[in-house]
Amino acid sequence: MSQTQAERLQAERKLAENQFDITQYQHVPRRYYGRIFFATVIVIAIFGLVRAFAEGKIEWSYIGQFLTSQAIIWGLLNTIVMAVLAMALGIVFGVITAIMRMSANPILRYVAVTYTWLFRGTPLILQLLLWFNLALIFPTIGIPGLFEMDTVSLMTPFVAALLGLSINQGAYTAEVVRAGLLSVDTGQYEAAKSIGMPRLQALRRIILPQAMRIIIPPVGNEFIGMVKMTSLASVIQYSELLYNAQNIYYANARVMELLIVAGIWYLAVVTVLSFGQSRLERRFARGAGKRS
């Protein structure tokens, strides 16, 4: 090989090496123009919304005054009590219905399907009104010959709201529980059967503990929704947070101020429940792989 050819090959080799050498290029950071644009629009919109409320005809002193008033606090307590009781009963109804839905007995299965179809297919406010006005079709309620009482006396706003909310919630919780039970491997059922464990005992000690990881997140969301759904009980005169706020603004005409007060308390309760839900989810997700 001549000297000229060697020099040419060496020059070509250096040129090829320089083509893959990134140190010779200037680093230019990527420009996210779309991201910057939409972030700017959102910030401007939030600023405009805050400014509109700040300059609007809202008496902020009334919000501070009624935020801790006795009527609002009692309404808040009634809301929490109703949400806890209705959710507890709803979970009981849901677990029973889910077990019936998965039963080999066709009567139990069809009853569970009908219950779920009926109470998920009608509006909750309609169910509350039906329970509250039950005396229009059943003046008395009880067991003939043993005890009877006037339905009007029994079906108070508290009882009607509790029945309406819990039975409606049970129809939704049943599907959540059923999904959790179906998520457990069938080998767990077979293993429990192989050692002679009864079906209900296997559900309580083996299947349900494993299904809780799937059940807890949606049930937690349902509980948060229940806190807000208690506001529908105001139509049957149950003294919850929104109903008491309405009674106050009917008297002083401070509608927006009292609605903001109710909204603040709803947000406070939901924030606490969301924190508790996340802690509970982490507890049941231990040993299940990556945590969210």
Side-chain angles (χ1 to χ4, degrees), residues 83-99:
V84 171
L85 293 178
M87 194 66 200
L89 286 176
I91 291 175
V92 173
F93 294 151
V95 171
I96 295 174
T97 304
I99 295 174

Side-chain angles (χ1 to χ4, degrees), residues 49 117 120 164 181 187 224 236 273:
L49 185 63
W117 165 77
R120 287 202 308 170
L181 296 177
I224 291 174
I236 57 173
L273 292 178

Side-chain angles (χ1 to χ4, degrees), residues 186-213:
T186 55
Q188 301 294 320
Y189 293 88
E190 296 172 356
K193 183 185 292 186
S194 67
I195 62 176
M197 186 175 291
R199 179 177 175 82
L200 291 180
Q201 186 180 8
L203 284 172
R204 180 173 57 87
R205 302 189 61 178
I206 296 178
I207 307 304
L208 276 176
Q210 298 182 61
M212 290 300 289
R213 182 172 55 88

Side-chain angles (χ1 to χ4, degrees), residues 57-280:
K57 295 181 180 180
I58 300 176
E59 294 293 339
W60 295 100
S61 60
Y62 278 91
I63 296 177
Q65 176 184 347
F66 287 104
L67 192 63
T68 56
S69 66
Q70 184 177 3
I72 295 296
I73 296 300
W74 273 111
L76 175 63
L77 292 176
N78 288 338
T79 293
I80 295 175
V81 169
M82 179 58 67
V84 171
L85 293 178
M87 194 66 200
L89 286 176
I91 291 175
V92 173
F93 294 151
V95 171
I96 295 174
T97 304
I99 295 174
M100 291 172 60
R101 181 78 179 270
M102 299 177 65
S103 174
N105 189 322
I107 296 178
L108 295 180
R109 189 166 61 251
Y110 291 144
V111 168
V113 170
T114 303
Y115 165 72
T116 305
W117 165 77
L118 180 62
F119 288 98
R120 287 202 308 170
T122 54
L124 175 57
I125 192 170
L126 174 63
Q127 298 173 32
L128 292 173
L129 291 172
L130 287 173
W131 285 112
F132 188 62
N133 294 285
L134 194 63
L136 296 177
I137 53 176
F138 299 113
T140 60
I141 192 169
I143 301 177
L146 293 179
F147 72 93
E148 291 185 3
M149 65 181 305
D150 294 335
T151 307
V152 174
S153 302
L154 176 64
M155 204 58 60
T156 61
F158 176 83
V159 174
L162 182 60
L163 287 174
L165 292 170
S166 61
I167 294 177
N168 177 268
Q169 183 59 48
Y172 288 92
T173 305
E175 293 301 298
V176 174
V177 174
R178 189 169 68 92
L181 296 177
L182 291 175
S183 69
V184 179
D185 188 79
T186 55
Q188 301 294 320
Y189 293 88
E190 296 172 356
K193 183 185 292 186
S194 67
I195 62 176
M197 186 175 291
R199 179 177 175 82
L200 291 180
Q201 186 180 8
L203 284 172
R204 180 173 57 87
R205 302 189 61 178
I206 296 178
I207 307 304
L208 276 176
Q210 298 182 61
M212 290 300 289
R213 182 172 55 88
I214 304 298
I215 294 174
I216 287 295
V219 168
N221 290 334
E222 294 286 347
F223 188 24
I224 291 174
M226 176 63 72
V227 173
K228 296 175 288 185
M229 281 196 300
T230 56
S231 61
L232 293 177
S234 61
V235 301
I236 57 173
Q237 302 174 13
Y238 176 65
S239 183
E240 47 80 46
L241 179 58
L242 182 60
Y243 180 78
N244 286 5
Q246 289 175 325
N247 286 339
I248 295 175
Y249 72 61
Y250 287 151
N252 61 14
R254 296 293 179 180
V255 178
M256 290 300 299
E257 288 80 359
L258 269 300
L259 292 179
I260 291 175
V261 167
I264 291 173
W265 278 119
Y266 280 122
L267 286 173
V269 174
V270 168
T271 301
V272 174
L273 292 178
S274 299
F275 175 76
Q277 177 188 354
S278 63
R279 300 279 294 184
L280 196 60

